[in-house]
Amino acid sequence: MSLPSKLIPGLGIFIVASTLFISFGCQSSIDTEITYEEASVLLDRYMETMTESDMALIDEIISPEFVLRSPMFPEPIVGIEGYKALVTNTARTFSDFTATIDEIVVHGDQLWGRFSMSGTNTGPLGELPPTNKSFSITGLAVTRVADGMIVEDETFWNVLDLYQQLGFTLTPPPGQQ
């Protein structure tokens, strides 16, 4: 029994599509997931880089493709050297700076962490003089991990709250008072 010639092209497409689906669908995927325990250790070490200004640890856990987005900065911090500069500046600005992870949620290669930061402003904050006042804030970070290293970190926290705790006030632009 032969198939009508009108069905053969459609059947060919079906066979090719089925073969591709089965071939690619059955391949093992690259494991990009991280366990809760691995995430906890990695994020604790990440916070340690800031708290202890540990440059050697930065080289161990920060990817060369690292990007940090923070509401504190108009542009992302990029690369290992960019992150080291941030850590060094933070240590100069806040003599007793501490960062901790309070809670973690793991989803594949993304880590959602609630963090706390505190410190005393004993050095200049950009062009602003030190106030010798302390701050304590919390925020959320979404961190992407690849090959056991931090590739990307996006933080969400209240910068105005930080400045107010340090004694700065918000003044409306001239002519809008």
Side-chain angles (χ1 to χ4, degrees):
M1 175 176 188
S2 68
L3 295 172
S5 61
K6 290 182 181 179
L7 292 179
I8 293 175
L11 183 61
I13 292 171
F14 174 77
I15 291 172
V16 170
S18 298
T19 304
L20 289 173
F21 176 78
I22 291 169
S23 297
F24 289 110
C26 293
Q27 290 182 356
S28 63
S29 62
I30 297 172
D31 184 18
T32 58
E33 292 192 12
I34 183 170
T35 67
Y36 177 85
E37 291 75 20
E38 292 167 333
S40 181
V41 168
L42 183 61
L43 289 181
D44 283 344
R45 294 179 82 204
Y46 185 39
M47 295 299 100
E48 187 179 327
T49 65
M50 290 293 288
T51 300
E52 303 296 326
S53 300
D54 190 334
M55 299 299 151
L57 183 54
I58 290 171
D59 291 329
E60 291 178 30
I61 67 166
I62 301 296
S63 168
E65 294 84 32
F66 178 76
V67 177
L68 169 64
R69 291 176 191 83
S70 169
M72 186 78 174
F73 309 111
E75 297 296 323
I77 305 295
V78 178
I80 293 173
E81 294 308 314
Y83 183 65
K84 284 181 177 180
L86 170 65
V87 168
T88 300
N89 189 51
T90 300
R92 285 188 197 131
T93 305
F94 303 102
S95 58
D96 59 347
F97 183 84
T98 302
T100 58
I101 292 293
D102 303 318
E103 185 176 1
I104 302 169
V105 175
V106 179
H107 184 70
D109 66 346
Q110 288 195 343
L111 317 177
W112 296 64
R114 188 171 51 83
F115 62 87
S116 299
M117 296 187 296
S118 62
T120 305
N121 179 216
T122 55
L125 183 59
E127 296 180 12
L128 301 172
T131 63
N132 294 313
K133 293 189 176 192
S134 297
F135 78 94
S136 180
I137 60 169
T138 61
L140 174 71
V142 180
T143 307
R144 189 169 60 84
V145 177
D147 299 322
M149 300 183 90
I150 297 173
V151 176
E152 189 175 11
D153 193 29
E154 187 159 4
T155 63
F156 305 90
W157 53 280
N158 189 337
V159 178
L160 179 59
D161 188 29
L162 167 75
Y163 280 109
Q164 288 176 332
Q165 289 182 47
L166 295 180
F168 297 100
T169 58
L170 184 63
T171 305
Q176 297 196 11
Q177 297 178 1

